[in-house]
Amino acid sequence: MEHDFPQLRGRLTRNKPLSELTWLRVGGPADVLVQPADIEDLAAFLAALRPDVPVFPMGVGSNLIVRDGGLRAVVIRLGRGFNGIVVEDNRVTAGAAALDAHVAKRAAQAGVDLTFLRTIPGSIGGAVRMNAGCYGSYVADVLVSARAVTRRGEIVTLTARDLNFRYRQSDLSEGMVIVEATFEGPSADPRALLARMDEQLRRRDESQPTKERSAGSTFRNPAGFSSTGRADDVHDLKAWKVIEDAGMRGARLGGAQMSEKHANFLINAGGASAADLEGLGEAVRKKVYQTSGITLEWEIMRIGEAES
Ligand SMILES: Cc1cc2nc3c(=O)[nH]c(=O)nc-3n(C[C@H](O)[C@H](O)[C@H](O)COP(=O)(O)OP(=O)(O)OC[C@H]3O[C@@H](n4cnc5c(N)ncnc54)[C@H](O)[C@@H]3O)c2cc1C
């Protein structure tokens, strides 16, 4: 991307290796990384940016495989200036760069139950975009509204209806950057909420490779699968189980591995490339299809270009 970019008060870095910014520690360079100082800075930058330049908003990279050739785009990463957390009655307003865990803790201290966010390692922007959730609660259940900056630089307010939440998905127009979200949670005793979060952390550490470099669940659980084929069949088939049945728990490709601890976690066991990780994931999908006839769907987003 050989042209000039609009001025901004924040930082603009060319050729920024995204491996430094993703949980899996892989990914080639972004043409340009932009870290705006505040909402107005972001809005002015996007308004002045040539409309044909692709924009990719990035959170903390906990749900991404960025391919080894990197991203031909302006990557927007929010930092200081976007991480405030304000609690008013049962409403919690957080900047998009605030970490889910911090928001959950601040809310709990004020007696507001957003505990499900405690163990999700992303940022609020990523949580809204992905309709993040666990233990039966999702962003969709608690979101009041979100503020965002459009690709053209307009500041807009979105409701849950506008976002049209679905499983790990929402509707955001191309290049739109979420800058803030307001949630409303039920009131509860802060001590009970803190205890619940401790319990959730313990459960995670017990069952998932939380200390490894991963991007969370690799594939969706194959919902809709029925062992009898009847429409009313109650099914609870887990991705980890079909991966294990296909003999792929612990499978390796280069530095990539399907975790021994949780078969649906793809980890960078050391020196993996994005091609190793994606290649292993594809090998798992193929093997699972051969052994059980189930087509696993990726939950981790894969973006950018392969290395040429
Ligand atoms: C160990 C581990 C456990 C996990 N457990 C869970 C879980 O229980 N439940 C769950 O839902 N997820 C889980 N995840 C996945 C991940 O944490 C979530 O998807 C999270 O919401 C992603 O947030 P992020 O900030 O890292 O976004 P990124 O991974 O950086 O980006 C994900 C998507 O969000 C978009 N995005 C990010 N910020 C913005 C913004 N400001 N404006 C517009 N779009 C934006 C990106 O463009 C991209 O499309 C887990 C991940 C790990 C590593």
Side-chain angles (χ1 to χ4, degrees):
M1 233 180 258
E2 285 305 318
H3 54 78
D4 291 334
F5 291 95
Q7 290 290 317
L8 86 158
R9 280 180 284 117
R11 272 179 80 175
L12 185 149
T13 315
R14 288 178 192 256
N15 264 321
K16 174 73 178 177
L18 293 175
S19 52
E20 295 169 13
L21 303 178
T22 55
W23 262 66
L24 280 165
R25 292 290 183 274
V26 296
D31 283 341
V32 176
L33 179 81
V34 165
Q35 295 161 285
D38 52 33
I39 297 181
E40 289 69 32
D41 198 25
L42 171 63
F45 176 84
L46 289 175
L49 182 66
R50 268 183 25 192
D52 60 323
V53 176
V55 166
F56 183 81
M58 183 168 169
V60 292
S62 65
N63 198 48
L64 296 177
I65 291 178
V66 179
R67 297 194 179 99
D68 301 308
L71 265 184
R72 306 291 73 80
V74 168
V75 172
I76 308 278
R77 193 158 193 268
L78 307 179
R80 268 199 301 273
F82 295 88
N83 57 10
I85 304 171
V86 175
V87 186
E88 244 178 297
D89 300 324
N90 280 18
R91 290 200 169 186
V92 180
T93 298
L99 292 177
D100 299 350
H102 290 170
V103 175
K105 283 192 274 188
R106 282 288 297 280
Q109 283 157 6
V112 182
D113 184 356
L114 296 178
T115 46
F116 75 96
L117 288 171
R118 176 64 186 88
T119 57
I120 303 176
S123 66
I124 289 299
V128 173
R129 168 67 180 83
M130 301 301 299
N131 187 19
C134 58
Y135 305 124
S137 298
Y138 294 85
V139 163
D141 304 326
V142 293
L143 187 105
V144 177
S145 62
R147 282 177 89 201
V149 180
T150 67
R151 175 59 185 80
R152 290 161 55 187
E154 297 144 337
I155 300 173
V156 295
T157 300
L158 306 168
T159 61
R161 200 190 162 108
D162 297 327
L163 286 158
N164 187 24
F165 288 118
R166 298 175 306 285
Y167 179 76
R168 301 280 194 267
Q169 238 181 314
S170 64
D171 286 348
L172 273 190
S173 54
E174 200 63 32
M176 186 182 264
V177 184
I178 296 164
V179 290
E180 188 181 275
T182 299
F183 306 103
E184 191 169 275
S187 338
D189 172 15
R191 278 166 309 183
L193 297 177
L194 294 170
R196 188 183 310 158
M197 293 191 296
D198 284 346
E199 171 59 14
Q200 288 173 351
L201 284 170
R202 197 190 56 73
R203 272 167 67 185
R204 282 258 182 186
D205 286 342
E206 219 170 70
S207 61
Q208 297 180 0
T210 49
K211 306 284 183 284
E212 306 274 2
R213 300 183 192 291
S214 81
S217 298
T218 307
F219 303 107
R220 294 176 176 201
N221 288 324
F225 175 83
S226 157
S227 53
T228 64
R230 284 205 323 264
D232 62 352
D233 184 38
V234 177
H235 45 264
D236 191 19
L237 196 63
K238 300 290 187 195
W240 70 261
K241 179 76 170 71
V242 295
I243 294 169
E244 181 160 290
D245 290 350
M248 295 301 271
R249 179 190 286 270
R252 283 177 181 266
L253 179 68
Q257 188 181 13
M258 298 313 293
S259 165
E260 293 279 2
K261 192 164 182 183
H262 191 305
N264 193 27
F265 273 59
L266 182 56
I267 58 176
N268 181 349
S273 62
D276 291 342
L277 291 158
E278 193 171 9
L280 178 57
E282 287 301 331
V284 167
R285 292 182 72 224
K286 197 167 165 191
K287 196 76 192 296
V288 166
Y289 184 73
Q290 284 165 355
T291 48
S292 62
I294 292 168
T295 304
L296 288 176
E297 276 182 54
W298 282 92
E299 188 156 303
I300 299 175
M301 291 181 73
R302 288 137 305 121
I303 57 169
E305 298 179 355
E307 206 158 42
S308 52

